[in-house]
Amino acid sequence: MSVTTDNLMADALSHIAVKQQEFFSSNNRYFQGLPTHLIPVIEATPTSPDLITNSPSDFNVKWRTIFPSLPLLLPAQIFIDYYNGPLGKGYIVNLRVRVGTDIRSKTINVGPEIFRAHNWKTVNQ
Amino acid sequence: MRLELMKELVFKRKSSKELASVSLTNLIAHWKLNEESGTRNDSHSNNYHLTDVNTVGFDTGKLGNAAAFISANNEGLSIASNADIQMQTDKTFVCWVWLDNKTASQTFFSKWDSGLSTEYRFRYNVTSDRFMWTKGNGGAGGTLEDVIANTFGSPPSTTWIFCVCTYNASDKKFRISVNNGAFDIGAETTVAVVGGSTFYIGRAASAGAPLGLTGRVDSLSIWNRLLSADEMTSLYNNGSGLDYAF
């Protein structure tokens, strides 16, 4: 399921991983990114992110500030959650694509809370 | 001056004696939510400390500080699924909640992941303008039931409200009481779903559709038993609340 998206995302995820470590070194926290697109991207159809200039109200750092080399067309709606818990700090990259009428989601955890990682699954709205 | 102080102390002691004691038996967790950032600690003995996701803030609470959430930022406090927070036995959730506004449906606490397992969710529903205590169906297409707090009616915003949500493992029903009023009782008698969704305060786990809260939650407790009416009255304490260890 969504192997195509995984392949298309590979470079972007590597880029995110490198930049997140740099951001952490400077800020002692990871970057939080709100959804890049209003609606999840159609699978295998990279799309320009329409919300990429948004940022959380209490964290005014934008996607392009941290990830200037992120592709102009993204193969999935992406958002990043940052967490800070008893085991330490980490982040989750959330990917969402549309396949027909379904929305599929995958979460990639980087950090100590490994239960947060999930492979592709269909989510109800 | 000293005599006056003594009189006041005696009065306070008498007032608190009028409340029934609240037993800590089968108390699973109590989160005071007094912290200003980061991990929110479990004050009870099980170390169910909560992870801060997306930088939950704080504000004035019912008892000390409260956790303050902004929906647009997808903020929440969470802990991995475990047997104590699954609906395997009788369960009582007690908390104080505060809505900054009523412009959208908002989740106070949940174990609800639309892609994994929908188990339970306590929220404000904007369509009905009511609190709802929802019995999930696991996402498997079975019966999903919203138990609506009609007895209390329309909840006010910017006001602290006391809520008790229960699951009775004998009759399998969900119940909700607001500000220590009578319970609204669900009709559904299927066994509650036990799944692996992450428990969240302030949102649901569902990625992309967390129905987050813009408001506050304070003093949330979970018991693996049903509280007595006297215990709930004590925790409500005529609207003043009762701090842990009660």
Side-chain angles (χ1 to χ4, degrees):
Chain A
M1 185 188 287
S2 300
V3 171
T4 308
T5 306
D6 283 338
N7 291 336
L8 290 169
M9 279 298 302
D11 285 347
L13 289 173
S14 298
H15 183 58
I16 288 171
V18 170
K19 291 295 179 181
Q20 280 284 39
Q21 288 311 315
E22 290 176 8
F23 189 83
F24 187 86
S25 296
S26 303
N27 300 281
N28 194 33
R29 58 158 292 169
Y30 291 103
F31 168 81
Q32 180 197 347
L34 294 179
T36 52
H37 301 73
L38 180 62
I39 300 169
V41 173
I42 296 170
E43 188 179 46
T45 312
T47 305
S48 177
D50 49 353
L51 298 179
I52 204 160
T53 56
N54 286 358
S55 62
S57 60
D58 56 357
F59 180 70
N60 188 24
V61 181
K62 301 189 189 318
W63 277 95
R64 287 284 177 215
T65 308
I66 307 303
F67 307 108
S69 303
L70 207 61
L72 295 176
L73 301 177
L74 294 172
Q77 180 197 50
I78 309 172
F79 52 103
I80 297 177
D81 292 326
Y82 155 66
Y83 63 81
N84 179 7
L87 297 177
K89 296 173 182 176
Y91 67 93
I92 314 148
V93 182
N94 302 273
L95 308 176
R96 288 173 28 115
V97 295
R98 279 184 289 156
V99 182
T101 56
D102 286 343
I103 293 181
R104 292 180 183 165
S105 170
K106 177 177 181 175
T107 55
I108 301 148
N109 173 68
V110 179
E113 300 196 353
I114 56 175
F115 67 90
R116 297 186 182 279
H118 290 287
N119 207 346
W120 289 104
K121 60 189 181 184
T122 300
V123 296
N124 305 321
Q125 288 302 290
Chain B
M1 184 71 176
R2 176 170 267 187
L3 185 63
E4 288 303 307
L5 190 63
M6 292 280 287
K7 282 180 180 173
E8 191 178 335
L9 284 172
V10 169
F11 174 75
K12 278 187 177 170
R13 191 165 293 172
K14 276 186 177 174
S15 297
S16 62
K17 270 189 174 174
E18 289 166 6
L19 296 171
S21 64
V22 179
S23 169
L24 301 183
T25 301
N26 289 339
L27 177 64
I28 296 308
H30 177 83
W31 297 288
K32 292 190 171 196
L33 303 175
N34 283 340
E35 295 88 346
E36 297 185 359
S37 65
T39 300
R40 268 52 169 196
N41 290 312
D42 174 13
S43 297
H44 198 51
S45 56
N46 288 324
N47 292 324
Y48 286 138
H49 306 312
L50 298 170
T51 291
D52 178 351
V53 178
N54 293 333
T55 324
V56 175
F58 74 100
D59 208 327
T60 304
K62 187 69 190 177
L63 299 160
N65 287 337
F69 303 84
I70 300 172
S71 172
N73 296 345
N74 293 333
E75 295 170 357
L77 300 169
S78 69
I79 188 167
S81 181
N82 64 73
D84 278 336
I85 55 173
Q86 293 169 336
M87 292 301 199
Q88 298 194 13
T89 60
D90 288 340
K91 195 77 70 181
T92 303
F93 300 80
V94 178
C95 61
W96 289 88
V97 302
W98 168 291
L99 292 163
D100 281 1
N101 60 61
K102 300 202 295 180
T103 57
S105 295
Q106 306 176 53
T107 303
F108 298 113
F109 64 81
S110 67
K111 203 166 178 298
W112 194 275
D113 186 335
S114 59
L116 187 63
S117 183
T118 52
E119 298 164 54
Y120 55 82
R121 177 167 66 185
F122 174 45
R123 72 190 196 279
Y124 167 72
N125 179 271
V126 70
T127 306
S128 60
D129 188 25
R130 295 286 187 275
F131 287 148
M132 281 186 179
W133 175 223
T134 300
K135 187 178 191 181
N137 61 3
T143 305
L144 180 150
E145 183 182 37
D146 291 318
V147 182
I148 303 170
N150 281 322
T151 299
F152 183 71
S154 171
S157 59
T158 64
T159 301
W160 282 109
I161 302 170
F162 178 75
C163 302
V164 178
C165 301
T166 69
Y167 171 61
N168 182 324
S170 297
D171 66 13
K172 315 288 189 290
K173 292 181 178 179
F174 274 36
R175 291 169 168 80
I176 179 169
S177 161
V178 180
N179 277 354
N180 205 32
F183 275 101
D184 291 289
I185 305 170
E188 185 55 42
T189 55
T190 52
V191 176
V193 171
V194 172
S197 296
T198 300
F199 176 82
Y200 265 96
I201 302 173
R203 56 173 281 189
S206 302
L211 281 180
L213 169 67
T214 296
R216 308 175 208 170
V217 176
D218 198 9
S219 297
L220 196 156
S221 310
I222 305 177
W223 273 271
N224 268 352
R225 66 180 175 90
L226 300 173
L227 301 189
S228 70
D230 284 347
E231 286 177 314
M232 286 184 277
T233 297
S234 294
L235 291 170
Y236 181 57
N237 193 14
N238 293 311
S240 297
L242 191 64
D243 206 358
Y244 178 86
F246 316 126

